[in-house]
Amino acid sequence: RKEVEQDPGPFNVPEGATVAFNCTYSNSASQSFFWYRQDCRKEPKLLMSVYSSGNEDGRFTAQLNRASQYISLLIRDSKLSDSATYLCAVNRNTGNQFYFGTGTSLTVIP
Amino acid sequence: EPEVTQTPSHQVTQMGQEVILRCVPISNHLYFYWYRQILGQKVEFLVSFYNNEISEKSEIFDDQFSVERPDGSNFTLKIRSTKLEDSAMYFCASSQTSVETQYFGPGTRLLVL
């Protein structure tokens, strides 16, 4: 079973739409969770950390469900500039490598 | 805002040659990492480095690979005797602690011919 799984998409949504991505992780000992954004042929850039209580940053909301072992990312009022691949990353408490999902591709259409 | 830098941005090499990829992590970070991403695939962990030694490595990081922190600022990945399948984007990352956010450099695109 893969450490981290994501629906690769693609998600094609109109401007202004709300879109949600989920990411499941297999190891219950996982400790830290992150969403990264990756533009084509660029490095992953941190979008937000995911805390147990959930957190919000402007149009972006991240949530963690430990019982079901998934994290989610909600994007409200999608902008054209949100078009990118969204990667979830998970870190266990026994090591310091990040396990990345394959990424979910989002295209926001005018 | 401090950032991770990497050189070169692109490297083309012949199969069997050695390459050294260079990284300058964020200055107050203590943990350093190398990842790679083959075109169209996910980001894969290679190795982590802390306190001047490897703290974790993946199955990909075999004897062909080595890392070094030759001075107080640089962190290098050496690939000996490159193979065609080593062609990928190599990202360096750094973090303050082992569980906090890892910040990625812009990557080195390696092409092995």
mmCIF file with all atom_site columns, all heavy atoms in Angstrom, chain B residues 6-27:
data_model
loop_
_atom_site.group_PDB
_atom_site.id
_atom_site.type_symbol
_atom_site.label_atom_id
_atom_site.label_alt_id
_atom_site.label_comp_id
_atom_site.label_asym_id
_atom_site.label_entity_id
_atom_site.label_seq_id
_atom_site.pdbx_PDB_ins_code
_atom_site.Cartn_x
_atom_site.Cartn_y
_atom_site.Cartn_z
_atom_site.occupancy
_atom_site.B_iso_or_equiv
_atom_site.pdbx_formal_charge
_atom_site.auth_seq_id
_atom_site.auth_comp_id
_atom_site.auth_asym_id
_atom_site.auth_atom_id
_atom_site.pdbx_PDB_model_num
ATOM 1   N N   . GLN B 1 6  ? 20.188 26.403 -5.635  1.00 0.00 ? 6  GLN B N   1
ATOM 2   C CA  . GLN B 1 6  ? 20.814 25.217 -6.217  1.00 0.00 ? 6  GLN B CA  1
ATOM 3   C C   . GLN B 1 6  ? 21.543 25.602 -7.499  1.00 0.00 ? 6  GLN B C   1
ATOM 4   O O   . GLN B 1 6  ? 21.078 26.451 -8.262  1.00 0.00 ? 6  GLN B O   1
ATOM 5   C CB  . GLN B 1 6  ? 19.762 24.154 -6.559  1.00 0.00 ? 6  GLN B CB  1
ATOM 6   C CG  . GLN B 1 6  ? 19.150 23.490 -5.349  1.00 0.00 ? 6  GLN B CG  1
ATOM 7   C CD  . GLN B 1 6  ? 18.214 22.355 -5.737  1.00 0.00 ? 6  GLN B CD  1
ATOM 8   O OE1 . GLN B 1 6  ? 17.015 22.402 -5.474  1.00 0.00 ? 6  GLN B OE1 1
ATOM 9   N NE2 . GLN B 1 6  ? 18.771 21.320 -6.358  1.00 0.00 ? 6  GLN B NE2 1
ATOM 10  N N   . THR B 1 7  ? 22.673 24.941 -7.711  1.00 0.00 ? 7  THR B N   1
ATOM 11  C CA  . THR B 1 7  ? 23.418 25.098 -8.963  1.00 0.00 ? 7  THR B CA  1
ATOM 12  C C   . THR B 1 7  ? 23.937 23.748 -9.416  1.00 0.00 ? 7  THR B C   1
ATOM 13  O O   . THR B 1 7  ? 24.243 22.877 -8.587  1.00 0.00 ? 7  THR B O   1
ATOM 14  C CB  . THR B 1 7  ? 24.618 26.065 -8.786  1.00 0.00 ? 7  THR B CB  1
ATOM 15  O OG1 . THR B 1 7  ? 25.418 25.611 -7.700  1.00 0.00 ? 7  THR B OG1 1
ATOM 16  C CG2 . THR B 1 7  ? 24.154 27.481 -8.564  1.00 0.00 ? 7  THR B CG2 1
ATOM 17  N N   . PRO B 1 8  ? 24.045 23.525 -10.728 1.00 0.00 ? 8  PRO B N   1
ATOM 18  C CA  . PRO B 1 8  ? 23.515 24.380 -11.789 1.00 0.00 ? 8  PRO B CA  1
ATOM 19  C C   . PRO B 1 8  ? 22.005 24.187 -11.923 1.00 0.00 ? 8  PRO B C   1
ATOM 20  O O   . PRO B 1 8  ? 21.442 23.290 -11.310 1.00 0.00 ? 8  PRO B O   1
ATOM 21  C CB  . PRO B 1 8  ? 24.242 23.848 -13.029 1.00 0.00 ? 8  PRO B CB  1
ATOM 22  C CG  . PRO B 1 8  ? 24.421 22.387 -12.737 1.00 0.00 ? 8  PRO B CG  1
ATOM 23  C CD  . PRO B 1 8  ? 24.660 22.288 -11.255 1.00 0.00 ? 8  PRO B CD  1
ATOM 24  N N   . SER B 1 9  ? 21.379 25.002 -12.729 1.00 0.00 ? 9  SER B N   1
ATOM 25  C CA  . SER B 1 9  ? 19.939 24.821 -12.951 1.00 0.00 ? 9  SER B CA  1
ATOM 26  C C   . SER B 1 9  ? 19.698 23.657 -13.912 1.00 0.00 ? 9  SER B C   1
ATOM 27  O O   . SER B 1 9  ? 18.689 22.963 -13.819 1.00 0.00 ? 9  SER B O   1
ATOM 28  C CB  . SER B 1 9  ? 19.310 26.096 -13.506 1.00 0.00 ? 9  SER B CB  1
ATOM 29  O OG  . SER B 1 9  ? 19.941 26.465 -14.716 1.00 0.00 ? 9  SER B OG  1
ATOM 30  N N   . HIS B 1 10 ? 20.623 23.451 -14.827 1.00 0.00 ? 10 HIS B N   1
ATOM 31  C CA  . HIS B 1 10 ? 20.545 22.351 -15.795 1.00 0.00 ? 10 HIS B CA  1
ATOM 32  C C   . HIS B 1 10 ? 21.926 21.715 -15.912 1.00 0.00 ? 10 HIS B C   1
ATOM 33  O O   . HIS B 1 10 ? 22.943 22.409 -15.857 1.00 0.00 ? 10 HIS B O   1
ATOM 34  C CB  . HIS B 1 10 ? 20.121 22.858 -17.184 1.00 0.00 ? 10 HIS B CB  1
ATOM 35  C CG  . HIS B 1 10 ? 18.747 23.401 -17.243 1.00 0.00 ? 10 HIS B CG  1
ATOM 36  N ND1 . HIS B 1 10 ? 18.427 24.669 -16.787 1.00 0.00 ? 10 HIS B ND1 1
ATOM 37  C CD2 . HIS B 1 10 ? 17.587 22.848 -17.672 1.00 0.00 ? 10 HIS B CD2 1
ATOM 38  C CE1 . HIS B 1 10 ? 17.132 24.876 -16.963 1.00 0.00 ? 10 HIS B CE1 1
ATOM 39  N NE2 . HIS B 1 10 ? 16.601 23.808 -17.495 1.00 0.00 ? 10 HIS B NE2 1
ATOM 40  N N   . GLN B 1 11 ? 21.937 20.407 -16.089 1.00 0.00 ? 11 GLN B N   1
ATOM 41  C CA  . GLN B 1 11 ? 23.193 19.676 -16.278 1.00 0.00 ? 11 GLN B CA  1
ATOM 42  C C   . GLN B 1 11 ? 22.947 18.562 -17.282 1.00 0.00 ? 11 GLN B C   1
ATOM 43  O O   . GLN B 1 11 ? 22.018 17.757 -17.097 1.00 0.00 ? 11 GLN B O   1
ATOM 44  C CB  . GLN B 1 11 ? 23.652 19.085 -14.950 1.00 0.00 ? 11 GLN B CB  1
ATOM 45  C CG  . GLN B 1 11 ? 24.879 18.203 -15.029 1.00 0.00 ? 11 GLN B CG  1
ATOM 46  C CD  . GLN B 1 11 ? 26.166 18.952 -14.787 1.00 0.00 ? 11 GLN B CD  1
ATOM 47  O OE1 . GLN B 1 11 ? 26.291 19.700 -13.825 1.00 0.00 ? 11 GLN B OE1 1
ATOM 48  N NE2 . GLN B 1 11 ? 27.122 18.755 -15.663 1.00 0.00 ? 11 GLN B NE2 1
ATOM 49  N N   . VAL B 1 12 ? 23.755 18.544 -18.315 1.00 0.00 ? 12 VAL B N   1
ATOM 50  C CA  . VAL B 1 12 ? 23.703 17.457 -19.293 1.00 0.00 ? 12 VAL B CA  1
ATOM 51  C C   . VAL B 1 12 ? 25.008 16.694 -19.184 1.00 0.00 ? 12 VAL B C   1
ATOM 52  O O   . VAL B 1 12 ? 26.083 17.295 -19.160 1.00 0.00 ? 12 VAL B O   1
ATOM 53  C CB  . VAL B 1 12 ? 23.517 17.993 -20.729 1.00 0.00 ? 12 VAL B CB  1
ATOM 54  C CG1 . VAL B 1 12 ? 23.447 16.821 -21.720 1.00 0.00 ? 12 VAL B CG1 1
ATOM 55  C CG2 . VAL B 1 12 ? 22.257 18.847 -20.823 1.00 0.00 ? 12 VAL B CG2 1
ATOM 56  N N   . THR B 1 13 ? 24.924 15.382 -19.109 1.00 0.00 ? 13 THR B N   1
ATOM 57  C CA  . THR B 1 13 ? 26.128 14.587 -18.949 1.00 0.00 ? 13 THR B CA  1
ATOM 58  C C   . THR B 1 13 ? 26.017 13.299 -19.749 1.00 0.00 ? 13 THR B C   1
ATOM 59  O O   . THR B 1 13 ? 24.916 12.889 -20.131 1.00 0.00 ? 13 THR B O   1
ATOM 60  C CB  . THR B 1 13 ? 26.380 14.275 -17.461 1.00 0.00 ? 13 THR B CB  1
ATOM 61  O OG1 . THR B 1 13 ? 27.680 13.701 -17.301 1.00 0.00 ? 13 THR B OG1 1
ATOM 62  C CG2 . THR B 1 13 ? 25.353 13.301 -16.909 1.00 0.00 ? 13 THR B CG2 1
ATOM 63  N N   . GLN B 1 14 ? 27.146 12.687 -19.992 1.00 0.00 ? 14 GLN B N   1
ATOM 64  C CA  . GLN B 1 14 ? 27.167 11.406 -20.676 1.00 0.00 ? 14 GLN B CA  1
ATOM 65  C C   . GLN B 1 14 ? 27.037 10.283 -19.659 1.00 0.00 ? 14 GLN B C   1
ATOM 66  O O   . GLN B 1 14 ? 27.552 10.385 -18.528 1.00 0.00 ? 14 GLN B O   1
ATOM 67  C CB  . GLN B 1 14 ? 28.490 11.246 -21.438 1.00 0.00 ? 14 GLN B CB  1
ATOM 68  C CG  . GLN B 1 14 ? 28.677 12.231 -22.573 1.00 0.00 ? 14 GLN B CG  1
ATOM 69  C CD  . GLN B 1 14 ? 27.756 11.957 -23.735 1.00 0.00 ? 14 GLN B CD  1
ATOM 70  O OE1 . GLN B 1 14 ? 27.428 10.808 -24.027 1.00 0.00 ? 14 GLN B OE1 1
ATOM 71  N NE2 . GLN B 1 14 ? 27.312 13.017 -24.404 1.00 0.00 ? 14 GLN B NE2 1
ATOM 72  N N   . MET B 1 15 ? 26.384 9.236  -20.055 1.00 0.00 ? 15 MET B N   1
ATOM 73  C CA  . MET B 1 15 ? 26.264 8.051  -19.210 1.00 0.00 ? 15 MET B CA  1
ATOM 74  C C   . MET B 1 15 ? 27.640 7.605  -18.727 1.00 0.00 ? 15 MET B C   1
ATOM 75  O O   . MET B 1 15 ? 28.602 7.591  -19.507 1.00 0.00 ? 15 MET B O   1
ATOM 76  C CB  . MET B 1 15 ? 25.609 6.936  -20.028 1.00 0.00 ? 15 MET B CB  1
ATOM 77  C CG  . MET B 1 15 ? 25.152 5.743  -19.259 1.00 0.00 ? 15 MET B CG  1
ATOM 78  S SD  . MET B 1 15 ? 24.139 4.657  -20.285 1.00 0.00 ? 15 MET B SD  1
ATOM 79  C CE  . MET B 1 15 ? 25.223 4.283  -21.629 1.00 0.00 ? 15 MET B CE  1
ATOM 80  N N   . GLY B 1 16 ? 27.747 7.287  -17.448 1.00 0.00 ? 16 GLY B N   1
ATOM 81  C CA  . GLY B 1 16 ? 29.011 6.845  -16.881 1.00 0.00 ? 16 GLY B CA  1
ATOM 82  C C   . GLY B 1 16 ? 29.829 7.956  -16.246 1.00 0.00 ? 16 GLY B C   1
ATOM 83  O O   . GLY B 1 16 ? 30.791 7.679  -15.527 1.00 0.00 ? 16 GLY B O   1
ATOM 84  N N   . GLN B 1 17 ? 29.460 9.188  -16.521 1.00 0.00 ? 17 GLN B N   1
ATOM 85  C CA  . GLN B 1 17 ? 30.180 10.315 -15.931 1.00 0.00 ? 17 GLN B CA  1
ATOM 86  C C   . GLN B 1 17 ? 29.677 10.593 -14.519 1.00 0.00 ? 17 GLN B C   1
ATOM 87  O O   . GLN B 1 17 ? 28.576 10.192 -14.130 1.00 0.00 ? 17 GLN B O   1
ATOM 88  C CB  . GLN B 1 17 ? 30.007 11.572 -16.793 1.00 0.00 ? 17 GLN B CB  1
ATOM 89  C CG  . GLN B 1 17 ? 30.618 11.454 -18.178 1.00 0.00 ? 17 GLN B CG  1
ATOM 90  C CD  . GLN B 1 17 ? 32.116 11.294 -18.125 1.00 0.00 ? 17 GLN B CD  1
ATOM 91  O OE1 . GLN B 1 17 ? 32.829 12.131 -17.548 1.00 0.00 ? 17 GLN B OE1 1
ATOM 92  N NE2 . GLN B 1 17 ? 32.620 10.208 -18.697 1.00 0.00 ? 17 GLN B NE2 1
ATOM 93  N N   . GLU B 1 18 ? 30.491 11.321 -13.775 1.00 0.00 ? 18 GLU B N   1
ATOM 94  C CA  . GLU B 1 18 ? 30.123 11.738 -12.415 1.00 0.00 ? 18 GLU B CA  1
ATOM 95  C C   . GLU B 1 18 ? 29.580 13.158 -12.467 1.00 0.00 ? 18 GLU B C   1
ATOM 96  O O   . GLU B 1 18 ? 30.079 13.994 -13.232 1.00 0.00 ? 18 GLU B O   1
ATOM 97  C CB  . GLU B 1 18 ? 31.375 11.682 -11.538 1.00 0.00 ? 18 GLU B CB  1
ATOM 98  C CG  . GLU B 1 18 ? 31.187 12.216 -10.128 1.00 0.00 ? 18 GLU B CG  1
ATOM 99  C CD  . GLU B 1 18 ? 32.476 12.183 -9.342  1.00 0.00 ? 18 GLU B CD  1
ATOM 100 O OE1 . GLU B 1 18 ? 32.907 11.081 -8.963  1.00 0.00 ? 18 GLU B OE1 1
ATOM 101 O OE2 . GLU B 1 18 ? 33.061 13.270 -9.121  1.00 0.00 ? 18 GLU B OE2 1
ATOM 102 N N   . VAL B 1 19 ? 28.551 13.424 -11.660 1.00 0.00 ? 19 VAL B N   1
ATOM 103 C CA  . VAL B 1 19 ? 28.048 14.788 -11.538 1.00 0.00 ? 19 VAL B CA  1
ATOM 104 C C   . VAL B 1 19 ? 27.961 15.169 -10.069 1.00 0.00 ? 19 VAL B C   1
ATOM 105 O O   . VAL B 1 19 ? 27.759 14.309 -9.201  1.00 0.00 ? 19 VAL B O   1
ATOM 106 C CB  . VAL B 1 19 ? 26.663 14.972 -12.204 1.00 0.00 ? 19 VAL B CB  1
ATOM 107 C CG1 . VAL B 1 19 ? 26.750 14.769 -13.701 1.00 0.00 ? 19 VAL B CG1 1
ATOM 108 C CG2 . VAL B 1 19 ? 25.632 14.064 -11.588 1.00 0.00 ? 19 VAL B CG2 1
ATOM 109 N N   . ILE B 1 20 ? 28.125 16.446 -9.816  1.00 0.00 ? 20 ILE B N   1
ATOM 110 C CA  . ILE B 1 20 ? 27.951 16.981 -8.470  1.00 0.00 ? 20 ILE B CA  1
ATOM 111 C C   . ILE B 1 20 ? 26.923 18.091 -8.537  1.00 0.00 ? 20 ILE B C   1
ATOM 112 O O   . ILE B 1 20 ? 27.085 19.059 -9.291  1.00 0.00 ? 20 ILE B O   1
ATOM 113 C CB  . ILE B 1 20 ? 29.272 17.514 -7.892  1.00 0.00 ? 20 ILE B CB  1
ATOM 114 C CG1 . ILE B 1 20 ? 30.294 16.381 -7.761  1.00 0.00 ? 20 ILE B CG1 1
ATOM 115 C CG2 . ILE B 1 20 ? 29.027 18.158 -6.526  1.00 0.00 ? 20 ILE B CG2 1
ATOM 116 C CD1 . ILE B 1 20 ? 31.660 16.830 -7.290  1.00 0.00 ? 20 ILE B CD1 1
ATOM 117 N N   . LEU B 1 21 ? 25.866 17.926 -7.766  1.00 0.00 ? 21 LEU B N   1
ATOM 118 C CA  . LEU B 1 21 ? 24.815 18.933 -7.687  1.00 0.00 ? 21 LEU B CA  1
ATOM 119 C C   . LEU B 1 21 ? 24.990 19.690 -6.377  1.00 0.00 ? 21 LEU B C   1
ATOM 120 O O   . LEU B 1 21 ? 25.203 19.075 -5.325  1.00 0.00 ? 21 LEU B O   1
ATOM 121 C CB  . LEU B 1 21 ? 23.434 18.266 -7.740  1.00 0.00 ? 21 LEU B CB  1
ATOM 122 C CG  . LEU B 1 21 ? 23.216 17.255 -8.867  1.00 0.00 ? 21 LEU B CG  1
ATOM 123 C CD1 . LEU B 1 21 ? 21.787 16.741 -8.839  1.00 0.00 ? 21 LEU B CD1 1
ATOM 124 C CD2 . LEU B 1 21 ? 23.567 17.824 -10.212 1.00 0.00 ? 21 LEU B CD2 1
ATOM 125 N N   . ARG B 1 22 ? 24.872 20.997 -6.481  1.00 0.00 ? 22 ARG B N   1
ATOM 126 C CA  . ARG B 1 22 ? 25.165 21.833 -5.319  1.00 0.00 ? 22 ARG B CA  1
ATOM 127 C C   . ARG B 1 22 ? 23.939 22.552 -4.795  1.00 0.00 ? 22 ARG B C   1
ATOM 128 O O   . ARG B 1 22 ? 23.059 22.944 -5.556  1.00 0.00 ? 22 ARG B O   1
ATOM 129 C CB  . ARG B 1 22 ? 26.261 22.839 -5.665  1.00 0.00 ? 22 ARG B CB  1
ATOM 130 C CG  . ARG B 1 22 ? 27.612 22.194 -5.894  1.00 0.00 ? 22 ARG B CG  1
ATOM 131 C CD  . ARG B 1 22 ? 28.719 23.176 -6.183  1.00 0.00 ? 22 ARG B CD  1
ATOM 132 N NE  . ARG B 1 22 ? 30.019 22.535 -6.083  1.00 0.00 ? 22 ARG B NE  1
ATOM 133 C CZ  . ARG B 1 22 ? 30.550 21.747 -7.020  1.00 0.00 ? 22 ARG B CZ  1
ATOM 134 N NH1 . ARG B 1 22 ? 29.900 21.529 -8.131  1.00 0.00 ? 22 ARG B NH1 1
ATOM 135 N NH2 . ARG B 1 22 ? 31.733 21.197 -6.843  1.00 0.00 ? 22 ARG B NH2 1
ATOM 136 N N   . CYS B 1 23 ? 23.939 22.745 -3.498  1.00 0.00 ? 23 CYS B N   1
ATOM 137 C CA  . CYS B 1 23 ? 22.802 23.371 -2.817  1.00 0.00 ? 23 CYS B CA  1
ATOM 138 C C   . CYS B 1 23 ? 23.342 24.248 -1.694  1.00 0.00 ? 23 CYS B C   1
ATOM 139 O O   . CYS B 1 23 ? 24.322 23.882 -1.033  1.00 0.00 ? 23 CYS B O   1
ATOM 140 C CB  . CYS B 1 23 ? 21.904 22.269 -2.258  1.00 0.00 ? 23 CYS B CB  1
ATOM 141 S SG  . CYS B 1 23 ? 20.632 22.811 -1.108  1.00 0.00 ? 23 CYS B SG  1
ATOM 142 N N   . VAL B 1 24 ? 22.688 25.390 -1.508  1.00 0.00 ? 24 VAL B N   1
ATOM 143 C CA  . VAL B 1 24 ? 22.952 26.189 -0.312  1.00 0.00 ? 24 VAL B CA  1
ATOM 144 C C   . VAL B 1 24 ? 21.638 26.264 0.459   1.00 0.00 ? 24 VAL B C   1
ATOM 145 O O   . VAL B 1 24 ? 20.695 26.933 0.033   1.00 0.00 ? 24 VAL B O   1
ATOM 146 C CB  . VAL B 1 24 ? 23.451 27.604 -0.650  1.00 0.00 ? 24 VAL B CB  1
ATOM 147 C CG1 . VAL B 1 24 ? 23.676 28.408 0.628   1.00 0.00 ? 24 VAL B CG1 1
ATOM 148 C CG2 . VAL B 1 24 ? 24.737 27.540 -1.456  1.00 0.00 ? 24 VAL B CG2 1
ATOM 149 N N   . PRO B 1 25 ? 21.552 25.531 1.570   1.00 0.00 ? 25 PRO B N   1
ATOM 150 C CA  . PRO B 1 25 ? 20.310 25.544 2.353   1.00 0.00 ? 25 PRO B CA  1
ATOM 151 C C   . PRO B 1 25 ? 20.095 26.893 3.040   1.00 0.00 ? 25 PRO B C   1
ATOM 152 O O   . PRO B 1 25 ? 20.997 27.733 3.068   1.00 0.00 ? 25 PRO B O   1
ATOM 153 C CB  . PRO B 1 25 ? 20.545 24.437 3.392   1.00 0.00 ? 25 PRO B CB  1
ATOM 154 C CG  . PRO B 1 25 ? 21.693 23.637 2.888   1.00 0.00 ? 25 PRO B CG  1
ATOM 155 C CD  . PRO B 1 25 ? 22.530 24.595 2.097   1.00 0.00 ? 25 PRO B CD  1
ATOM 156 N N   . ILE B 1 26 ? 18.928 27.073 3.619   1.00 0.00 ? 26 ILE B N   1
ATOM 157 C CA  . ILE B 1 26 ? 18.645 28.275 4.395   1.00 0.00 ? 26 ILE B CA  1
ATOM 158 C C   . ILE B 1 26 ? 19.564 28.278 5.613   1.00 0.00 ? 26 ILE B C   1
ATOM 159 O O   . ILE B 1 26 ? 19.749 27.243 6.270   1.00 0.00 ? 26 ILE B O   1
ATOM 160 C CB  . ILE B 1 26 ? 17.150 28.323 4.784   1.00 0.00 ? 26 ILE B CB  1
ATOM 161 C CG1 . ILE B 1 26 ? 16.327 28.490 3.494   1.00 0.00 ? 26 ILE B CG1 1
ATOM 162 C CG2 . ILE B 1 26 ? 16.865 29.438 5.765   1.00 0.00 ? 26 ILE B CG2 1
ATOM 163 C CD1 . ILE B 1 26 ? 14.822 28.383 3.689   1.00 0.00 ? 26 ILE B CD1 1
ATOM 164 N N   . SER B 1 27 ? 20.117 29.434 5.927   1.00 0.00 ? 27 SER B N   1
ATOM 165 C CA  . SER B 1 27 ? 21.287 29.490 6.815   1.00 0.00 ? 27 SER B CA  1
ATOM 166 C C   . SER B 1 27 ? 21.049 28.967 8.227   1.00 0.00 ? 27 SER B C   1
ATOM 167 O O   . SER B 1 27 ? 21.943 28.388 8.825   1.00 0.00 ? 27 SER B O   1
ATOM 168 C CB  . SER B 1 27 ? 21.830 30.916 6.872   1.00 0.00 ? 27 SER B CB  1
ATOM 169 O OG  . SER B 1 27 ? 20.842 31.783 7.388   1.00 0.00 ? 27 SER B OG  1
#
